[in-house]
Amino acid sequence: MQPIYLIASGDLRLSANRNCEAAQSQMEQQLARAVESLGGTVRRAHPFDPAKQHGFIDSQHYGMEVFRQIPPRAPLIVAEAVWQYSHHILAGLLTHRGPILTVANWSGTWPGLVGMLNINGCLTKAGVPYSTLWSEEFTDDFARRGLTQWMKSGRITHDTSHVTPYAAAGVPAAAASAGREFARSFRARKAIMGIFDEGCMGMYNAILPDELLHPTGVFKERLSQSTLYARMLTVKENEARAVYDWLRERGMTFRFGKHEDTDLTESQVVQQCRMYIAAVRLAHEFGCDAIGIQYQQGLKDLSPASDLAEGLLHHVARPPVADDAGGRELFPGEAVPHVNEVDECAGLDALVTYRLWRSLGLPPENTLHDIRWGRTIALDGKEKFVWVFEISGAVPPAHLEGGYRGAVGERQPPMYFRLGGSSIKGVSKPGHVVWSRVFVQGGSLHYDTGLAEAVALPHGETEERWRLTTPQWPIMHAVMEGITRDQMMARHKANHIQVVYAPDRATARRAMFTKGAVMKELGLKVSFCGKVR
């Protein structure tokens, strides 16, 4: 059998690659042992770099160099124990003709799952055939069966029987009619999505081609993060402090320290409040109905994290922002829907959700999360798989237990956020949730959706999940209805998932079907996932 080549895409940030090197190496050793036990051999396609102190592909240019040395028809494994930038390897994967297998460790601490799901979404959009697999140590039957199948046939077949196309889902007539009417109005009204630089962290799957987006009635206003930073410089100190005081008055807690490099400081939060004000003013200036800030490139070298501003923008009950002259409040009584990491798929979803939930008389705050990790625990006398949905801070306080009083600001991890900034940490309140994802496949827009329940876990379990992932970030404990762990991983085409609350399951179900009808009328190919009856 010819050798199986292995590559590892990494972060663009040196500190992240160095920090994750040991976990990546351990995962690769476990994977190689599994392959060898099945009669194969693994050949790593690029070496450890002693100067950089890691062995990741850390740029698009280096990725192209690595692929020049890989036989174009060789079997290839993309092994991920970390968050990674998919564009580092996308050029090579687009032209590779051998079977491709994307693999992730099953870990909350080392987010290979998040990185792999992003690669999968990128390959799906690009039309590149691939198989995918995940495991904790690659000794379990599921992983070994998958490896055996791929090594013999070049592909792995997963169970996706939980997916039902729109036509077969039995959408109630009232929901279908309401959805069509809303979609026609939405398209006729048109909307602008303000994009502060595209392609955050190499997420090719998060860029919607204009020719697919425009038929929905949504158009991009392409803005620059330099414009956002320049506008931040015009925000007065007293304006920024007024936002900070507003948050304190409503009970939000900030955990401050003295050292800028490692602690959260008041000056960092005030800068974030400047960003919030600047973002609202620019959204108004350009007539944007939703916006997205990239942050992780460029802006990260100038300002504390954008996440505090993002979470406030999402919230209907947010600090008031006046125009530059200070005379008129902007977007009074409304959120300014924001998409973390300028994920345009999430942006379209967020805007439709916000307006539809408003029309249905439901709380419209919605957000994306990373599908970070999960495990089975005893809950209400039953064994249930409970996911960790977690993102770097852009969750609206309306989603958290206690609202603003349940929100805690902690410093963003220095590994990713050199200049710090506050997160909006908290636990998502128990309740019924509609989840969804827009993605590109076969040159068309697709939309998956289903029902979930955000559940309350014992304090110790919540703290353990934070310890095993990122304790500074907001978390949702989610149980997916009628979808197993492996079905979810096999089907989902992104690292992100969109969530919005409804007051009870019946309302969530009606709203889910109505939104499905909206998306279908807007031209998306809609599927319902899991138990929706």
Side-chain angles (χ1 to χ4, degrees):
M1 179 181 288
Q2 62 180 316
I4 298 169
Y5 285 76
L6 182 146
I7 62 171
S9 181
D11 209 292
L12 193 68
R13 295 160 289 199
L14 181 63
S15 59
N17 286 331
R18 286 178 173 175
N19 194 59
C20 298
E21 171 62 31
Q24 177 71 27
S25 178
Q26 180 184 28
M27 178 260 201
E28 289 183 21
Q29 292 172 26
Q30 292 170 339
L31 178 58
R33 284 196 294 269
V35 170
E36 290 164 4
S37 71
L38 297 171
T41 58
V42 173
R43 179 178 299 173
R44 202 172 199 276
H46 50 102
F48 176 87
D49 186 328
K52 294 181 178 178
Q53 298 176 37
H54 69 78
F56 291 103
I57 297 172
D58 57 1
S59 71
Q60 185 171 225
H61 174 70
Y62 183 35
M64 291 178 180
E65 287 185 0
V66 169
F67 268 92
R68 293 189 190 109
Q69 312 305 317
I70 300 174
R73 297 193 178 275
L76 177 67
I77 291 177
V78 183
E80 298 299 335
V82 299
W83 168 252
Q84 55 76 50
Y85 283 44
S86 292
H87 82 294
H88 290 169
I89 58 174
L90 188 59
L93 294 173
L94 280 168
T95 55
H96 192 74
R97 294 295 172 260
I100 296 169
L101 177 64
T102 64
V103 179
N105 60 333
W106 193 266
S107 168
T109 306
W110 308 104
L113 295 171
V114 185
M116 184 194 74
L117 284 171
N118 185 257
I119 290 174
N120 291 355
C122 292
L123 293 177
T124 297
K125 178 185 175 185
V128 176
Y130 68 96
S131 295
T132 188
L133 194 63
W134 46 92
S135 178
E136 195 165 339
E137 296 180 344
F138 302 98
T139 56
D140 57 286
D141 290 341
F142 172 79
R144 291 182 65 82
R145 281 196 306 269
L147 280 173
T148 299
Q149 185 182 15
W150 183 75
M151 290 167 66
K152 288 181 177 179
S153 67
R155 63 191 301 267
I156 298 174
T157 304
H158 291 295
D159 174 19
T160 56
S161 59
H162 66 294
V163 181
T164 304
Y166 184 96
V171 176
S177 176
R180 287 192 298 268
E181 182 180 350
F182 177 90
R184 290 165 185 166
S185 174
F186 181 92
R187 184 190 284 119
R189 176 181 170 183
K190 296 186 174 60
I192 295 174
M193 191 190 313
I195 302 299
F196 288 94
D197 295 334
E198 287 186 305
C200 181
M201 297 189 290
M203 291 191 288
Y204 167 72
N205 69 315
I207 302 173
L208 285 180
D210 288 40
E211 61 273 17
L212 297 185
L213 181 62
H214 292 171
T216 71
V218 179
F219 297 80
K220 299 179 193 177
E221 185 73 47
R222 287 180 167 87
L223 302 167
S224 170
Q225 293 191 107
S226 61
T227 304
L228 178 60
Y229 184 70
R231 183 58 69 91
M232 287 171 61
L233 299 180
T234 70
V235 176
K236 300 180 179 64
E237 176 80 8
N238 67 306
E239 293 176 318
R241 286 201 167 271
V243 171
Y244 171 59
D245 292 341
W246 190 97
L247 295 174
R248 295 288 295 267
E249 288 167 4
R250 278 149 187 81
M252 185 169 178
T253 302
F254 294 93
R255 293 178 178 161
F256 291 132
K258 298 179 180 180
H259 305 289
E260 290 281 349
D261 291 344
T262 56
D263 298 331
L264 180 66
T265 64
E266 188 176 282
S267 64
Q268 292 171 18
V269 175
V270 171
Q271 276 289 86
Q272 291 178 295
C273 294
R274 279 196 170 91
M275 185 187 295
Y276 165 70
I277 294 169
V280 173
R281 288 174 175 170
L282 284 170
H284 175 261
E285 179 180 333
F286 287 92
C288 296
D289 300 276
I291 62 171
I293 301 169
Q294 184 179 154
Y295 182 75
Q296 275 85 349
Q297 265 96 57
L299 201 58
K300 70 177 174 59
D301 299 317
L302 295 170
S303 169
S306 60
D307 299 273
L308 176 64
E310 295 175 17
L312 299 181
L313 290 166
H314 271 313
H315 205 313
V316 172
R318 56 181 178 79
V321 175
D323 60 19
D324 290 281
R328 180 163 63 100
E329 184 179 351
L330 304 179
F331 304 101
E334 296 285 351
V336 182
H338 181 279
V339 288
N340 186 258
E341 297 163 354
V342 75
D343 181 343
E344 295 165 11
C345 296
L348 174 61
D349 198 339
L351 184 55
V352 170
T353 302
Y354 181 79
R355 288 191 181 172
L356 178 61
W357 256 240
R358 272 293 213 202
S359 74
L360 295 173
L362 301 175
E365 288 90 354
N366 64 93
T367 188
L368 62 75
H369 277 279
D370 275 335
I371 299 179
R372 182 64 182 267
W373 176 66
R375 66 183 178 190
T376 300
I377 64 170
L379 188 64
D380 299 327
K382 297 179 180 179
E383 293 291 308
K384 293 185 180 181
F385 190 88
V386 183
W387 288 93
V388 171
F389 292 168
E390 196 175 65
I391 198 64
S392 57
V395 174
H399 280 201
L400 304 179
E401 292 180 351
Y404 282 106
R405 293 193 179 279
V408 178
E410 295 188 2
R411 191 199 195 277
Q412 294 283 18
M415 179 175 70
Y416 296 117
F417 301 88
R418 182 176 64 84
L419 298 180
S422 174
S423 61
I424 303 180
K425 177 179 178 175
V427 180
S428 294
K429 61 189 178 185
H432 294 276
V433 170
V434 178
W435 68 265
S436 54
R437 177 64 191 178
V438 172
F439 61 98
V440 181
Q441 184 173 18
S444 300
L445 288 181
H446 289 246
Y447 175 74
D448 281 0
T449 188
L451 299 174
E453 186 177 1
V455 297
L457 298 184
H459 177 75
E461 177 68 18
T462 295
E463 291 297 321
E464 178 72 357
R465 286 170 176 248
W466 260 327
R467 185 187 67 80
L468 292 171
T469 55
T470 306
Q472 298 88 351
W473 292 356
I475 192 170
M476 174 180 278
H477 307 308
V479 176
M480 311 296 282
E481 288 203 23
I483 307 173
T484 67
R485 180 198 81 164
D486 295 333
Q487 285 175 329
M488 188 68 187
M489 290 295 299
R491 171 68 181 185
H492 207 70
K493 306 302 183 187
N495 49 308
H496 291 154
I497 188 169
Q498 201 77 11
V499 294
V500 62
Y501 279 90
D504 51 62
R505 188 183 186 279
T507 304
R509 181 174 172 273
R510 286 195 299 271
M512 176 198 68
F513 279 130
T514 303
K515 188 178 167 196
V518 171
M519 292 302 200
K520 181 178 184 296
E521 183 66 22
L522 291 177
L524 284 72
K525 297 182 179 180
V526 176
S527 296
F528 297 97
C529 300
K531 182 181 177 183
V532 296
R533 305 310 299 177

Coordinates of all heavy atoms in Angstrom, one line a residue, residues 349-394:
D349 N -28.5 34.6 7.8 CA -29.3 33.9 8.8 C -29.8 34.8 9.9 O -30.9 34.9 10.2 CB -28.5 32.7 9.3 CG -29.4 31.7 10.0 OD1 -30.6 32.0 10.3 OD2 -29.0 30.5 10.1
A350 N -28.8 35.6 10.4 CA -29.1 36.5 11.6 C -30.1 37.5 11.2 O -31.0 37.9 11.9 CB -27.8 37.1 12.1
L351 N -30.0 38.1 10.0 CA -30.9 39.2 9.6 C -32.3 38.7 9.3 O -33.3 39.3 9.8 CB -30.3 39.8 8.3 CG -31.1 41.0 7.7 CD1 -31.2 42.1 8.8 CD2 -30.3 41.6 6.5
V352 N -32.4 37.5 8.6 CA -33.7 36.9 8.4 C -34.3 36.6 9.8 O -35.5 36.9 10.0 CB -33.6 35.7 7.5 CG1 -34.9 34.9 7.5 CG2 -33.2 36.0 6.1
T353 N -33.6 35.9 10.6 CA -34.1 35.6 12.0 C -34.6 36.8 12.7 O -35.7 36.8 13.3 CB -33.0 34.8 12.8 OG1 -32.6 33.7 12.0 CG2 -33.6 34.4 14.1
Y354 N -33.8 37.8 12.8 CA -34.1 39.0 13.5 C -35.4 39.6 13.1 O -36.3 39.9 13.9 CB -33.0 40.1 13.4 CG -33.3 41.3 14.2 CD1 -33.1 41.3 15.6 CD2 -33.8 42.5 13.6 CE1 -33.4 42.5 16.4 CE2 -34.1 43.6 14.4 CZ -33.8 43.6 15.7 OH -34.1 44.7 16.5
R355 N -35.6 39.8 11.8 CA -36.8 40.4 11.3 C -38.0 39.4 11.4 O -39.1 39.9 11.7 CB -36.6 40.8 9.8 CG -35.7 41.9 9.6 CD -35.7 42.4 8.2 NE -34.9 43.6 7.9 CZ -34.6 44.1 6.7 NH1 -35.2 43.5 5.7 NH2 -33.8 45.1 6.6
L356 N -37.8 38.1 11.2 CA -38.9 37.2 11.3 C -39.4 37.1 12.7 O -40.6 37.1 13.0 CB -38.5 35.8 10.7 CG -39.6 34.7 10.8 CD1 -40.8 35.1 10.0 CD2 -39.0 33.4 10.3
W357 N -38.4 36.9 13.6 CA -38.8 36.8 15.0 C -39.5 38.1 15.5 O -40.5 38.0 16.3 CB -37.6 36.5 15.9 CG -37.5 35.0 16.3 CD1 -37.5 34.6 17.6 CD2 -37.4 33.8 15.5 NE1 -37.4 33.2 17.7 CE2 -37.3 32.7 16.4 CE3 -37.4 33.6 14.1 CZ2 -37.3 31.4 15.9 CZ3 -37.3 32.3 13.7 CH2 -37.3 31.2 14.6
R358 N -39.1 39.2 15.1 CA -39.8 40.5 15.4 C -41.2 40.4 14.9 O -42.2 40.8 15.6 CB -39.1 41.6 14.7 CG -38.0 42.3 15.5 CD -38.4 43.0 16.7 NE -37.7 44.2 17.0 CZ -37.6 44.7 18.2 NH1 -38.3 44.1 19.2 NH2 -37.0 45.8 18.5
S359 N -41.4 39.9 13.7 CA -42.8 39.9 13.1 C -43.7 38.9 13.8 O -44.9 39.0 13.8 CB -42.7 39.6 11.6 OG -42.4 38.2 11.4
L360 N -43.1 37.8 14.4 CA -43.8 36.8 15.1 C -44.0 37.2 16.6 O -44.7 36.4 17.3 CB -43.1 35.5 15.0 CG -42.9 34.9 13.6 CD1 -42.0 33.6 13.7 CD2 -44.3 34.5 13.0
G361 N -43.5 38.3 17.0 CA -43.6 38.7 18.4 C -42.8 38.0 19.3 O -43.1 37.9 20.5
L362 N -41.6 37.5 18.8 CA -40.7 36.7 19.7 C -39.4 37.5 19.9 O -39.1 38.4 19.1 CB -40.4 35.4 18.9 CG -41.5 34.5 18.6 CD1 -41.1 33.3 17.8 CD2 -42.2 34.0 19.9
P363 N -38.7 37.2 21.0 CA -37.4 37.8 21.3 C -36.5 37.6 20.1 O -36.1 36.4 19.8 CB -36.9 37.2 22.5 CG -38.1 36.6 23.2 CD -39.1 36.2 22.1
P364 N -36.0 38.6 19.4 CA -35.3 38.4 18.2 C -33.8 38.2 18.3 O -33.1 38.0 17.3 CB -35.6 39.7 17.4 CG -35.6 40.8 18.5 CD -36.3 40.0 19.7
E365 N -33.2 38.4 19.5 CA -31.8 38.3 19.7 C -31.3 36.9 19.3 O -31.9 35.8 19.7 CB -31.4 38.5 21.1 CG -31.5 40.0 21.6 CD -32.8 40.3 22.1 OE1 -33.7 39.5 22.1 OE2 -33.0 41.5 22.6
N366 N -30.3 36.8 18.4 CA -29.8 35.5 18.0 C -28.3 35.7 17.8 O -27.8 36.8 17.8 CB -30.4 35.1 16.7 CG -30.2 36.0 15.5 OD1 -29.2 35.8 14.7 ND2 -31.0 37.0 15.3
T367 N -27.6 34.6 17.8 CA -26.1 34.6 17.7 C -25.6 33.3 17.1 O -26.3 32.3 17.0 CB -25.5 34.8 19.1 OG1 -24.1 35.0 19.0 CG2 -25.7 33.6 20.0
L368 N -24.4 33.4 16.7 CA -23.7 32.1 16.3 C -22.9 31.7 17.5 O -22.5 32.4 18.4 CB -22.8 32.3 15.1 CG -21.6 33.3 15.1 CD1 -20.4 32.8 15.8 CD2 -21.2 33.6 13.6
H369 N -22.5 30.4 17.5 CA -21.6 29.8 18.4 C -20.7 28.9 17.6 O -21.0 28.4 16.5 CB -22.3 28.9 19.4 CG -22.8 29.6 20.6 ND1 -22.1 30.0 21.7 CD2 -24.1 30.0 20.9 CE1 -22.8 30.6 22.6 NE2 -24.1 30.6 22.1
D370 N -19.5 28.6 18.1 CA -18.7 27.4 17.6 C -19.4 26.1 18.1 O -19.8 26.1 19.3 CB -17.3 27.5 18.1 CG -16.4 28.4 17.3 OD1 -16.7 28.6 16.1 OD2 -15.4 28.8 17.8
I371 N -19.4 25.1 17.3 CA -19.7 23.8 17.8 C -18.4 23.3 18.3 O -17.5 22.8 17.6 CB -20.2 22.9 16.6 CG1 -21.5 23.4 16.0 CG2 -20.4 21.5 17.1 CD1 -22.0 22.6 14.9
R372 N -18.2 23.4 19.6 CA -16.9 23.3 20.3 C -16.6 21.8 20.6 O -15.5 21.3 20.4 CB -16.8 24.2 21.5 CG -15.5 24.2 22.2 CD -14.4 24.8 21.4 NE -13.1 24.7 22.1 CZ -12.6 25.7 22.8 NH1 -13.3 26.8 22.9 NH2 -11.5 25.6 23.4
W373 N -17.6 21.1 21.2 CA -17.3 19.8 21.8 C -18.5 19.3 22.5 O -19.6 20.0 22.4 CB -16.1 20.0 22.8 CG -15.7 18.8 23.6 CD1 -15.2 17.6 23.1 CD2 -15.9 18.6 25.0 NE1 -14.9 16.7 24.2 CE2 -15.4 17.3 25.3 CE3 -16.4 19.4 26.1 CZ2 -15.4 16.8 26.6 CZ3 -16.4 18.9 27.3 CH2 -15.9 17.6 27.6
G374 N -18.5 18.1 23.1 CA -19.6 17.6 23.9 C -19.3 16.3 24.4 O -18.4 15.6 24.0
R375 N -20.2 15.8 25.4 CA -20.0 14.5 25.9 C -21.4 14.1 26.5 O -22.3 14.9 26.8 CB -18.9 14.4 27.0 CG -19.2 15.2 28.2 CD -18.0 15.1 29.1 NE -18.1 15.9 30.4 CZ -17.1 16.1 31.2 NH1 -15.9 15.6 31.0 NH2 -17.3 16.8 32.3
T376 N -21.5 12.8 26.7 CA -22.7 12.2 27.3 C -22.7 12.3 28.8 O -21.7 12.0 29.5 CB -22.9 10.7 26.9 OG1 -23.0 10.7 25.5 CG2 -24.1 10.1 27.5
I377 N -23.8 12.8 29.4 CA -23.9 12.9 30.9 C -25.3 12.4 31.3 O -26.2 12.3 30.5 CB -23.6 14.3 31.4 CG1 -24.7 15.3 30.9 CG2 -22.2 14.8 31.1 CD1 -24.6 16.6 31.6
A378 N -25.5 12.1 32.6 CA -26.8 11.8 33.1 C -27.5 13.1 33.4 O -27.1 14.0 34.1 CB -26.6 11.0 34.4
L379 N -28.7 13.2 32.7 CA -29.5 14.4 32.8 C -31.0 14.0 33.0 O -31.5 13.3 32.1 CB -29.3 15.3 31.6 CG -29.9 16.7 31.6 CD1 -29.3 17.6 32.7 CD2 -29.7 17.4 30.3
D380 N -31.6 14.4 34.0 CA -33.0 14.1 34.3 C -33.3 12.6 34.3 O -34.3 12.1 33.7 CB -33.9 14.8 33.3 CG -33.8 16.3 33.3 OD1 -33.6 16.8 34.4 OD2 -34.0 17.0 32.3
G381 N -32.3 11.9 34.8 CA -32.4 10.4 34.9 C -32.1 9.7 33.6 O -32.3 8.4 33.5
K382 N -31.7 10.4 32.6 CA -31.4 9.8 31.3 C -30.0 10.2 30.8 O -29.5 11.2 31.2 CB -32.4 10.2 30.2 CG -33.8 9.8 30.5 CD -34.7 10.2 29.4 CE -36.2 9.8 29.7 NZ -37.1 10.3 28.6
E383 N -29.4 9.3 30.0 CA -28.1 9.6 29.4 C -28.3 10.4 28.2 O -29.0 10.0 27.3 CB -27.3 8.3 29.1 CG -26.9 7.5 30.3 CD -25.8 8.1 31.1 OE1 -24.8 8.5 30.5 OE2 -26.0 8.3 32.3
K384 N -27.8 11.6 28.2 CA -28.0 12.5 27.0 C -26.6 13.1 26.6 O -25.7 13.4 27.4 CB -28.9 13.7 27.4 CG -30.3 13.2 27.6 CD -31.3 14.4 27.9 CE -32.7 14.0 28.1 NZ -33.6 15.2 28.3
F385 N -26.5 13.3 25.3 CA -25.3 13.9 24.8 C -25.6 15.4 24.8 O -26.5 15.9 24.1 CB -25.0 13.5 23.3 CG -23.6 14.0 22.9 CD1 -22.5 13.2 23.1 CD2 -23.5 15.2 22.2 CE1 -21.2 13.7 22.7 CE2 -22.3 15.6 21.8 CZ -21.1 14.9 22.1
V386 N -24.7 16.2 25.5 CA -24.9 17.6 25.7 C -23.7 18.3 25.0 O -22.6 18.1 25.5 CB -25.0 18.0 27.2 CG1 -25.3 19.5 27.3 CG2 -26.1 17.2 27.9
W387 N -24.0 19.1 24.0 CA -23.0 19.8 23.3 C -22.5 21.1 24.1 O -23.3 21.6 24.9 CB -23.5 20.3 22.0 CG -23.7 19.2 21.0 CD1 -24.9 18.5 20.7 CD2 -22.7 18.7 20.1 NE1 -24.7 17.6 19.7 CE2 -23.4 17.7 19.3 CE3 -21.4 19.0 19.8 CZ2 -22.7 17.0 18.3 CZ3 -20.7 18.3 18.8 CH2 -21.4 17.3 18.1
V388 N -21.3 21.4 23.9 CA -20.8 22.7 24.3 C -20.8 23.6 23.1 O -20.0 23.4 22.1 CB -19.3 22.6 24.8 CG1 -18.8 24.0 25.0 CG2 -19.3 21.9 26.1
F389 N -21.7 24.6 23.0 CA -21.7 25.7 22.1 C -21.0 26.9 22.7 O -21.4 27.3 23.8 CB -23.1 26.1 21.6 CG -23.8 25.0 20.8 CD1 -25.2 25.1 20.5 CD2 -23.1 23.9 20.3 CE1 -25.8 24.2 19.8 CE2 -23.8 22.9 19.5 CZ -25.1 23.1 19.3
E390 N -20.0 27.4 22.1 CA -19.2 28.5 22.8 C -18.5 29.3 21.7 O -18.0 28.9 20.7 CB -18.1 27.7 23.6 CG -17.4 28.6 24.7 CD -16.5 27.7 25.5 OE1 -15.5 27.2 24.9 OE2 -16.8 27.5 26.7
I391 N -18.6 30.6 22.0 CA -17.9 31.6 21.1 C -17.2 32.6 21.9 O -17.5 32.8 23.1 CB -19.0 32.2 20.1 CG1 -18.3 32.8 18.9 CG2 -19.9 33.2 20.8 CD1 -17.5 31.8 18.0
S392 N -16.4 33.5 21.2 CA -15.5 34.3 22.0 C -16.1 35.5 22.7 O -15.3 36.2 23.3 CB -14.3 34.8 21.1 OG -14.9 35.5 20.0
G393 N -17.4 35.6 22.7 CA -17.9 36.7 23.5 C -19.1 37.5 22.8 O -19.6 38.4 23.5
A394 N -19.4 37.2 21.6 CA -20.4 38.0 20.9 C -21.8 37.6 21.2 O -22.7 37.9 20.4 CB -20.1 37.8 19.4

